[in-house]
Amino acid sequence: MTSPSGLFSSRRTVLCGAVLAGAAGLGATACASGKGTPKGPATPTAPVDLGAPGEVPVGGARLYREQRLVVSQPAPGEYKAFSAVCTHAGCVVDKVEDGKISCACHGSKFDATTGKVLQGPASVALPAVPVKAAGGKLIAGPDA
């Protein structure tokens, strides 16, 4: 319904706007438990110092949330790193336990040793990131 001055919208326009606003609010909160969608690339563009290699347990993995990386150590001295940005909706994963990387946003799970999808909705593996132990530090990213 419109007035002669055109200031009123049709009921359909108002309802569509309300639905879109609600969807936008849902999108803003859907990944809140996963700390939202990160800005920037999913993998490092420069080498990242992750600290002492001993922080990653042999046969386990560790989440480096701030650096958006997960590093596993399948065997002593063997390190594998993956982006911690879920390939489904771009949320940062929230935990690593029992060899599984979990994303709280929509429930995707990945293998901490291979990055492969174990449970959807994600359908693409986590991108691998070069990683090495050198000089008492764990370094991930290009030139690692």
Side-chain angles (χ1 to χ4, degrees), residues 1-2 8-21:
M1 175 180 204
T2 60
F8 296 105
S9 300
S10 72
R11 180 174 183 224
R12 181 178 179 159
T13 301
V14 171
L15 289 175
C16 286
V19 167
L20 291 174

Side-chain angles (χ1 to χ4, degrees), residues 86-90 103-110 117-125:
C86 182
T87 56
H88 172 247
C103 181
C105 287
H106 301 105
S108 293
K109 294 191 184 306
F110 303 87
V117 176
L118 298 175
Q119 175 181 311
S123 60
V124 176

Side-chain angles (χ1 to χ4, degrees), residues 75-95:
E78 178 188 345
Y79 298 95
K80 295 188 178 192
F82 303 95
S83 170
V85 178
C86 182
T87 56
H88 172 247
C91 297
V92 177
V93 300
D94 68 326
K95 67 181 174 179

Side-chain angles (χ1 to χ4, degrees), residues 32-51:
S33 61
K35 300 290 188 212
T37 303
K39 292 182 174 36
T43 58
T45 57
V48 178
D49 181 347
L50 300 174

Side-chain angles (χ1 to χ4, degrees), residues 97-142:
E97 62 184 20
D98 299 325
K100 295 177 186 160
I101 302 166
S102 301
C103 181
C105 287
H106 301 105
S108 293
K109 294 191 184 306
F110 303 87
D111 184 286
T113 303
T114 65
K116 290 182 181 177
V117 176
L118 298 175
Q119 175 181 311
S123 60
V124 176
L126 294 172
V129 174
V131 63
K132 68 179 177 185
K137 296 180 180 182
L138 199 58
I139 308 293

Side-chain angles (χ1 to χ4, degrees), residues 46-71:
V48 178
D49 181 347
L50 300 174
E55 296 293 316
V56 180
V58 175
R62 177 173 177 204
L63 171 63
Y64 293 87
R65 186 168 191 70
E66 290 296 315
Q67 295 82 5
R68 298 188 328 234
L69 292 168
V70 173
V71 179

